[in-house]
Amino acid sequence: FFKDAKFDWPQGLTFDQVDNKLYICDTFNNLIRVADLNQSKVETLCGNKLNTIIGDYDYKGGKKGIEQTISSPWDLCLFHKDNSKILLIACAGTHQIWLYS
């Protein structure tokens, strides 16, 4: 729930008007979080806090959800296309743009 959510240096945000959800870059936790404004709860969409070694990066991706390590997510952009959501993630740690769908 909102009162239990903890962030470490939240950065970029994007709002999904269709589902009334706020996507948040939890930068220093290496996570993308989703605040569901209808249910007043926060969940982790992707990333994990296990990647704490500087220089230990995943440059290829391919894992799902919280199994996928990301590095310093900084900003987000959300698109709706053909009944699907596409989330672009700017990862400052690897200087890459990642796609989550």
Side-chain angles (χ1 to χ4, degrees), residues 53-64:
I53 301 169
I54 294 175
D56 184 24
Y57 301 125
D58 181 348
Y59 291 98
K60 295 181 182 178
K63 298 182 180 118
K64 295 181 181 180

Side-chain angles (χ1 to χ4, degrees), residues 24 45 55:
I24 307 157
L45 178 68

